[in-house]
Amino acid sequence: MHLEKLQAFVLSNSDYGENDRIVSLFTLEHGRLKGFARGARNSRKRFGPALETLARIDVQLHHKDGLSSLRSADVITLYSGIRGVLGAIAHGLYACELVECLTPEGQALPRLYRLLATYLERLDSGTVTTADRRMFEINLLNILGYRPSLTGCSRCGADFDGRGALLQQGGELVCRFCAATGRTLSSTSLQGLRTCLATGRFGQAVLDGEALQDAGILLDESLASHSVRKLKSLEFLQQTCGTGDLDI
Ligand SMILES: [Zn+2]
C-alpha cells in the first residue's frame, strides 16, 4: 500500500471516537472515497482546517477500498467568500451533498470535479443565483448519464418540435401521444436547458421566468429519483433561499 498525493474536495466529515475523524472526499484521481483521519479531533496541528466541509485540499493518503488512511492534508482554498454569505453556504453544501449522494465510490469523474470547482469558485466570487444552481444540476445529471431527454420523447423517440414536453414521474419527458397528463414544459424551457449543457459555462445560459421554474420542477424530480436518500442540505437551502423557483 503506497502513499498517494491527490486533489480533493471535502464533501462532509464526522467525528469518530474521541480523537479521530472520518471524511468524505471527492478526489480528481479516484472520485469519491472515505478517509480516516487519525488524531484529527484532538490535534489541529496535523490537519489544521483542511478537513472542513467545502475545503479544497491536497491530500496524502494510503488508498484502499472502503476506507483510506489520511497521512496529511494541505488547504488549497477554504472558499472564505462562500463562508461569509448564508445563501452561498447553502448552495455550496447542497452541491457537495449532491456529489456525495449521486456519485459511485471509487470512480474518477474529472468533468464533474471541474464542474464542482467552477461552481464553488462562482459562489466564492459572490454570485449566488438559482439559475446557476440549475446549471450545476443539469450538467451533473448529464455527466453521470442521467440527462433527461430534452429533444425528443423518451418513449417513442418523436421530436418535441417546439410543442414542449410532458413531465412524468422520475423526470421522464414524453410527447402528448405517449401520455395524457403531466405538467407541460415549454419548448423555450427545454431550449434553455439544452443551452446550459451546450455552453457548460456559468452565466452564459440564461434561465429566467418560466424557463427557470420549469427547469426547477424537472431537475428536482430527476435528482430526487436518482438520490439514494433525501438530501439534508436541501431543506437548509429552501429555508435560506426559498423554493428556488425564482432567481434571488
Ligand atoms: Zn412519445
Side-chain angles (χ1 to χ4, degrees):
M1 196 167 58
H2 65 288
L3 201 60
E4 285 188 65
K5 189 176 177 186
L6 309 177
Q7 296 180 52
F9 291 99
V10 181
L11 300 178
S12 67
N13 63 53
S14 55
D15 292 338
Y16 186 84
E18 289 191 0
N19 304 322
D20 311 320
R21 195 161 254 199
I22 290 177
V23 288
S24 173
L25 301 176
F26 184 52
T27 69
L28 176 63
E29 297 82 354
H30 300 297
R32 187 170 60 79
L33 58 84
K34 279 211 179 306
F36 186 71
R38 190 174 297 284
R41 285 194 72 191
N42 61 359
S43 164
R44 294 273 290 171
K45 259 193 299 185
R46 192 163 170 200
F47 296 105
L51 304 183
E52 298 292 324
T53 300
L54 265 179
R56 187 174 180 179
I57 61 175
D58 281 329
V59 62
Q60 279 197 307
L61 52 75
H62 293 289
H63 184 217
K64 268 194 304 191
D65 286 344
L67 192 62
S68 296
S69 178
L70 268 65
R71 170 70 70 84
S72 66
D74 297 302
V75 171
I76 298 173
T77 177
L78 291 173
Y79 296 107
S80 55
I82 293 179
R83 287 168 203 273
V85 180
L86 201 58
I89 294 172
H91 279 86
L93 291 177
Y94 171 71
C96 285
E97 197 178 2
L98 269 185
V99 171
E100 186 166 24
C101 259
L102 270 82
T103 59
E105 204 170 317
Q107 184 185 325
L109 294 162
R111 283 174 66 207
L112 184 57
Y113 190 90
R114 285 193 294 275
L115 178 71
L116 181 61
T118 311
Y119 184 42
L120 294 181
E121 277 159 26
R122 184 141 168 103
L123 290 172
D124 195 47
S125 73
T127 307
V128 183
T129 70
T130 304
D132 282 349
R133 168 189 166 186
R134 300 311 184 187
M135 169 86 182
F136 176 76
E137 292 171 339
I138 186 72
N139 277 281
L140 173 135
L141 286 170
N142 184 41
I143 291 167
L144 296 175
Y146 300 142
R147 181 180 61 190
S149 176
L150 299 172
T151 52
C153 175
S154 67
R155 293 185 192 167
C156 73
D159 206 307
F160 290 134
D161 265 346
R163 290 189 296 272
L166 290 177
L167 176 63
Q168 307 295 295
Q169 221 176 6
E172 187 187 17
L173 293 176
V174 301
C175 74
R176 289 173 193 286
F177 295 103
C178 289
T181 56
R183 183 194 162 93
T184 303
L185 266 68
S186 74
S187 60
T188 311
S189 303
L190 296 176
Q191 178 59 45
L193 284 162
R194 286 200 297 271
T195 310
C196 284
L197 292 173
T199 69
R201 292 184 64 184
F202 289 90
Q204 298 267 312
V206 183
L207 279 180
D208 54 15
E210 184 195 56
L212 185 62
Q213 209 164 8
D214 281 354
I217 289 162
L218 168 66
L219 291 166
D220 287 350
E221 181 75 27
S222 295
L223 290 164
S225 77
H226 292 298
S227 299
V228 290
R229 60 175 164 79
K230 199 169 186 316
L231 271 64
K232 283 180 276 180
S233 59
L234 187 57
E235 199 176 330
F236 178 47
L237 181 63
Q238 284 163 348
Q239 283 167 359
T240 312
C241 304
T243 59
D245 289 345
L246 298 173
D247 226 328
I248 55 172

